[in-house]
């Protein structure tokens, strides 16, 4: 089965312009660039553009996965709660004839914009190439397998598939996560004991296989 891609909050934050706008909410990451292009120039894009690259889970009811609602004090009617201002696909507060409601599924329920999941917990690891002695610190998602982490590391070493990955001398199972490979997340311990995470983060050593067929 297709496995969804995980993203770090930092990765989402990089997509923060009107021409490249991502948001995350309720654990999912969405690319709203096509939506912004479709409604280009519409004032109802303003709240979404202001929150580009950010998590907007507070806009939604986690149980219904719909926009938060409140009771209008003037009318006593239930309405969407949008303190940053009304945005695309949210109906106007009062009945009117100039609002087009034939858009189909509202964007926050439209799976076309879903591109992956937001990591519930990221962690830093050091990857050490024993052949070249090069070391790279990498922020990864705790949910990712070593194979998925390898895909991240390819940016720094295009031949990473030609290495055996080990931790404390033990060959790692690339189909499992760091925790499943007995590489615990020690961030909380470091925080409680005021230890510099950058100096003591877990390390993975890469050993060259000397097999040109894997390059």
């Amino acid at each position: 089965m297709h496995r969804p891609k995980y993203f770090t909050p930092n990765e989402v934050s990089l997509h923060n312009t009107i021409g490249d706008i991502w948001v995350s909410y309720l654990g999912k990451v969405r690319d709203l660039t096509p939506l912004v292009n479709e409604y280009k120039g519409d004032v109802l894009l303003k709240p979404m553009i202001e929150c580009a690259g950010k998590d907007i889970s507070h806009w939604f009811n986690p149980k219904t996965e719909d926009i938060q609602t409140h009771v209008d004090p003037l009318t006593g009617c239930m309405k969407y709660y949008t303190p940053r201002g009304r945005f695309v696909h949210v109906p106007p507060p009062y009945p009117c004839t100039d609002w087009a409601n034939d858009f189909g599924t509202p964007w926050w329920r439209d799976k076309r914009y879903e591109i992956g999941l937001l990591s519930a917990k990221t962690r830093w690891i050091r990857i050490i190439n024993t052949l070249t002695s090069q070391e790279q610190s990498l922020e990864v998602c705790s949910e990712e397998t070593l194979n998925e982490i390898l895909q991240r590391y390819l940016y720094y070493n295009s031949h990473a598939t030609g290495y055996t990955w080990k931790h404390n001398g033990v060959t790692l199972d690339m189909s499992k996560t760091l925790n499943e490979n007995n590489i615990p997340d020690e961030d909380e311990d470091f925080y409680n004991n005021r230890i510099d995470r950058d100096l003591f983060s877990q390390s993975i050593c890469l050993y060259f296989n000397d097999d040109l067929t894997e390059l």
Side-chain angles (χ1 to χ4, degrees):
M1 294 180 62
H2 174 69
R3 177 178 163 86
K5 181 176 176 58
Y6 284 90
F7 295 94
T8 68
N10 183 58
E11 287 176 306
V12 176
S13 71
L14 298 177
H15 300 267
N16 58 7
T17 67
I18 194 169
D20 180 22
I21 172 172
W22 290 13
V23 295
S24 62
Y25 60 91
L26 303 181
K28 297 179 180 179
V29 177
R30 298 189 183 231
D31 180 358
L32 299 184
T33 309
L35 181 72
V36 172
N37 290 336
E38 181 181 351
Y39 287 86
K40 188 174 182 179
D42 195 322
V43 68
L44 295 182
L45 289 173
K46 186 173 182 290
M48 299 154 69
I49 294 172
E50 290 176 342
C51 292
K54 299 178 182 179
D55 186 82
I56 55 172
S57 294
H58 57 287
W59 290 13
F60 300 89
N61 182 324
K63 293 183 178 179
T64 64
E65 298 188 355
D66 202 358
I67 305 296
Q68 296 276 15
T69 58
H70 74 128
V71 176
D72 188 304
L74 296 178
T75 65
C77 297
M78 188 72 71
K79 296 182 178 178
Y80 282 131
Y81 181 63
T82 54
R84 296 189 69 96
R86 181 169 153 249
F87 49 84
V88 174
H89 294 171
V90 171
Y94 305 103
C96 64
T97 59
D98 60 353
W99 181 60
N101 60 359
D102 57 351
F103 50 79
T105 304
W107 64 262
W108 56 88
R109 290 185 177 275
D110 196 332
K111 295 187 179 299
R112 290 180 300 168
Y113 303 115
E114 287 185 16
I115 57 173
L117 302 176
L118 185 70
S119 176
K121 174 67 171 68
T122 65
R123 54 187 296 189
W124 287 87
I125 58 171
R126 289 182 301 133
I127 299 180
I128 303 170
N129 186 329
T130 59
L131 179 66
T132 63
S133 298
Q134 291 179 325
E135 182 177 318
Q136 181 64 48
S137 292
L138 207 61
E139 184 182 24
V140 302
C141 303
S142 58
E143 301 90 348
E144 289 179 317
T145 66
L146 268 295
N147 274 322
E148 290 166 331
I149 293 174
L150 183 152
Q151 295 302 312
R152 291 181 178 275
Y153 182 64
L154 284 173
Y155 176 81
Y156 305 97
N157 182 351
S158 60
H159 301 305
T161 55
Y163 290 75
T164 296
W165 292 44
K166 294 186 178 183
H167 174 71
N168 287 340
V170 177
T171 300
L172 301 175
D173 186 334
M174 303 299 286
S175 66
K176 294 183 178 180
T177 65
L178 292 169
N179 277 335
E180 291 170 343
N181 273 289
N182 297 315
I183 306 178
D185 185 348
E186 300 175 319
D187 281 358
E188 186 174 352
D189 291 336
F190 289 168
Y191 176 80
N192 292 335
N193 293 287
R194 299 183 180 180
I195 299 174
D196 188 343
R197 179 196 64 194
D198 294 334
L199 296 178
F200 298 97
S201 57
Q202 298 278 11
S203 61
I204 294 175
C205 292
L206 273 56
Y207 296 86
F208 186 53
N209 291 331
D210 195 20
D211 183 355
L212 295 179
T213 62
E214 297 192 35
L215 299 181

